Amino acid sequence: MDDAATLQRFETGAALRAACRAGIWDRPTSGLAQGFQQGNIVILPRALADDFLRYCTRNPKPAPILGVSEPGDPSLPTLGADIDIRTDVPRYRVFRDGEPAEILTDLNALWRDDFVTFVLGCSFSFETALLRAAIPVRHIEAGRNVPMYKTNIETQSAGPFGGPMVVSMRPFTPADAIRAIVLSSYLPQAHGAPVHLGDPSAIGIADIATPDFGEAPDIHEGDVPVFWACGVTPQSAIRHARPPIAITHEPGHMLVTDLRADIG
Amino acid sequence: MDDAATLQRFETGAALRAACRAGIWDRPTSGLAQGFQQGNIVILPRALADDFLRYCTRNPKPAPILGVSEPGDPSLPTLGADIDIRTDVPRYRVFRDGEPAEILTDLNALWRDDFVTFVLGCSFSFETALLRAAIPVRHIEAGRNVPMYKTNIETQSAGPFGGPMVVSMRPFTPADAIRAIVLSSYLPQAHGAPVHLGDPSAIGIADIATPDFGEAPDIHEGDVPVFWACGVTPQSAIRHARPPIAITHEPGHMLVTDLRADIG
């Protein structure tokens, strides 16, 4: 299936989820079902879910809550009428004792009656808004993944969840940086306004050329680096908490919801 | 009259204008009649007013239009029920052939039946919003006037009006810079979002320590300089146009309106 055909086939979140459920799509979701909000997934046993929910509410920039399931219920009716979280994400990452252990394409064998699913906002809808506003996004133009960095900004902890904030970095001309800052402030569910700009060392980043996650940045002469709270932060909090089991999406392989990815 | 008494006496735009009209107030208006929008004043003969109106509409960041009078009419009913622009500003600056010629406290002797008054937004309501949001404003803390600079950013010309944009600069911590940028984007009538941040030389400012207007900046370690379009720009456009006569307020001595200085 070529790219144009893929884009046409997966015009909606429902179409993409159906393909995941049928086992015919297990690839990244970036650029698919444009206009629909995509989400980071965290699945935890009920015994840890209350702590994690407080962690998210205390850290709304890295972990904006789009939805939370009832314990044991694989549906998320506020995000999409037919969602089955056991099958509707392209790829899952299973953490055991805080470390990645397996990659799966469904959770049928692992599902438990005490699992609670969290869906957290991601930056795709923000990047779509930047491109619609004709603000160049360097890593997209370079065909790379966004660079991400561990910082010295501590998240607000809750129970065993805590640890440093992870940020994504996008460089812009100063004028575009201002527009990007204002635009992102309208999208709190896609991490909202940035947390830092300028000097990377002020937030504990020793070498901007060497990100901790993603790919090396493409910074043009005169660009200002702008740093947003990143959805990788909750995975960092899981490593910090070391729960016996936790399940996330595999990075880039998101749940695509029926929510519109517009202002709000 | 001590400062507390001054503040209490001039709680509204109407009270301050009445004091100017009675000849008992000819000092700056910064910090007075808090919550009411203050405005830059430009008065031009009708023959030049159309060009200047187009100049303002083409340059809304340095010259946001709050109101325009009918030719020869000293009232501005959309900005305040009783405004008489000939008497209600603390001090006026008269330009002849584009150069400052006189400072007056009323325009009774100079008024002409073809004069058109423009009232343009100023940054005071923005600075009030910063202080309310607990964002430190360095020049206010240092008891100084804001530093202002000529730039290499050309305004969009209209008739004889044109020339470079003048900017004001406020330094902030990076996190406060982000908040100030978002906040100012909600205040288009107070120059809106900034036009630049970071490297001053990128907009033609050779030495940030030596502003062209106002006082030297107070920049703390780690601060990011942020640059907003400035209401001095229209005075620069008058120098550029060299009209036989033009009248402005004396800097800092603004018209205080009845408009609320809130969001919008």
Side-chain angles (χ1 to χ4, degrees):
Chain A
M1 184 155 42
D2 68 15
D3 282 356
T6 304
L7 283 172
Q8 189 164 18
R9 182 158 179 190
F10 299 136
E11 280 187 336
T12 66
L16 186 58
R17 295 195 304 269
C20 294
R21 201 177 306 146
I24 58 178
W25 188 260
D26 67 352
R27 290 164 54 196
T29 53
S30 173
L32 300 182
Q34 288 184 11
F36 291 90
Q37 204 152 12
Q38 303 199 13
N40 297 287
I41 299 301
V42 173
I43 300 171
L44 287 164
R46 182 175 196 167
L48 284 163
D50 285 353
D51 286 337
F52 190 73
L53 181 54
R54 287 203 320 290
Y55 180 77
C56 295
T57 59
R58 287 177 186 169
N59 298 281
K61 284 200 162 181
I65 300 171
L66 298 186
V68 186
S69 77
E70 296 298 316
D73 184 347
S75 76
L76 289 151
T78 61
L79 303 185
D82 65 345
I83 294 177
D84 185 330
I85 201 62
R86 300 170 295 191
T87 53
D88 288 6
V89 173
R91 291 189 184 207
Y92 302 84
R93 178 183 281 194
V94 183
F95 288 79
R96 295 189 188 273
D97 299 319
E99 297 299 327
E102 296 152 70
I103 295 172
L104 301 173
T105 56
D106 71 66
L107 302 178
N108 290 323
L110 276 188
W111 190 254
R112 287 170 27 178
D113 280 349
D114 68 339
F115 274 171
V116 176
T117 303
F118 296 84
V119 184
L120 308 175
C122 90
S123 61
F124 286 169
S125 50
F126 164 52
E127 293 186 343
T128 301
L130 289 173
L131 294 173
R132 281 188 189 153
I135 299 174
V137 182
R138 304 278 185 244
H139 71 269
I140 294 176
E141 290 188 333
R144 296 185 199 159
N145 195 355
V146 68
M148 293 166 273
Y149 307 83
K150 292 177 196 165
T151 71
N152 63 10
I153 304 169
E154 281 295 306
T155 60
Q156 300 292 322
S157 65
F161 298 100
M165 188 185 295
V166 177
V167 296
S168 61
M169 190 282 289
R170 293 167 190 79
F172 301 98
T173 65
D176 282 344
I178 290 162
R179 298 168 67 211
I181 289 166
V182 173
L183 191 54
S184 64
S185 76
Y186 285 90
L187 297 164
Q189 293 191 328
H191 306 302
V195 296
H196 183 63
L197 60 79
D199 180 12
S201 72
I203 55 170
I205 298 171
D207 179 11
I208 193 136
T210 312
D212 296 300
F213 312 99
E215 291 180 84
D218 179 29
I219 303 177
H220 295 198
E221 176 76 23
D223 274 359
V224 176
V226 187
F227 300 86
W228 278 267
C230 176
V232 170
T233 308
Q235 292 199 11
S236 175
I238 289 169
R239 289 172 188 267
H240 187 269
R242 307 187 64 79
I245 189 166
I247 302 166
T248 72
H249 63 290
E250 180 69 7
H253 299 65
M254 321 302 278
L255 175 70
V256 185
T257 73
D258 291 350
L259 301 180
R260 300 299 307 187
D262 296 317
I263 297 296
Chain B
M1 184 157 40
D2 68 16
D3 283 355
T6 304
L7 282 173
Q8 189 164 18
R9 182 158 181 190
F10 299 137
E11 279 187 337
T12 66
L16 186 58
R17 294 194 305 267
C20 295
R21 201 178 306 147
I24 58 176
W25 189 261
D26 67 351
R27 289 165 53 197
T29 53
S30 174
L32 301 182
Q34 288 183 12
F36 292 91
Q37 203 151 14
Q38 304 200 13
N40 298 287
I41 300 301
V42 173
I43 300 172
L44 287 164
R46 181 176 197 167
L48 284 162
D50 285 353
D51 285 339
F52 189 73
L53 181 53
R54 286 204 321 291
Y55 179 77
C56 294
T57 58
R58 286 177 187 168
N59 298 283
K61 283 201 161 179
I65 300 170
L66 298 186
V68 185
S69 76
E70 295 300 313
D73 184 348
S75 77
L76 290 150
T78 60
L79 302 186
D82 65 345
I83 293 176
D84 184 333
I85 200 64
R86 297 170 299 189
T87 54
D88 289 5
V89 173
R91 292 190 183 206
Y92 303 84
R93 179 182 281 195
V94 183
F95 288 80
R96 295 188 189 274
D97 299 321
E99 297 299 328
E102 296 153 71
I103 293 171
L104 301 172
T105 56
D106 71 64
L107 302 178
N108 290 323
L110 275 188
W111 189 254
R112 287 169 30 177
D113 281 350
D114 67 339
F115 274 171
V116 177
T117 302
F118 295 85
V119 183
L120 308 175
C122 91
S123 60
F124 285 170
S125 50
F126 163 52
E127 292 185 344
T128 301
L130 288 174
L131 295 174
R132 281 188 190 152
I135 298 174
V137 182
R138 304 279 186 242
H139 70 270
I140 294 176
E141 291 188 333
R144 297 186 198 159
N145 195 354
V146 68
M148 293 166 272
Y149 307 84
K150 293 178 194 164
T151 70
N152 63 9
I153 304 170
E154 281 296 306
T155 60
Q156 300 291 323
S157 65
F161 298 100
M165 187 185 294
V166 177
V167 295
S168 60
M169 190 282 289
R170 293 167 189 82
F172 301 98
T173 66
D176 282 344
I178 290 162
R179 298 169 67 210
I181 290 166
V182 172
L183 192 53
S184 63
S185 76
Y186 284 90
L187 298 164
Q189 293 191 327
H191 307 303
V195 296
H196 183 62
L197 60 81
D199 181 13
S201 71
I203 56 171
I205 299 171
D207 179 11
I208 193 136
T210 313
D212 296 301
F213 312 99
E215 291 181 86
D218 179 29
I219 303 177
H220 295 199
E221 175 75 22
D223 275 359
V224 176
V226 186
F227 301 87
W228 277 268
C230 175
V232 170
T233 308
Q235 293 199 12
S236 175
I238 288 169
R239 290 171 187 267
H240 188 268
R242 307 187 64 78
I245 188 165
I247 302 165
T248 72
H249 62 290
E250 181 69 7
H253 299 65
M254 321 301 279
L255 175 70
V256 185
T257 73
D258 292 349
L259 301 181
R260 301 298 309 188
D262 296 316
I263 296 296

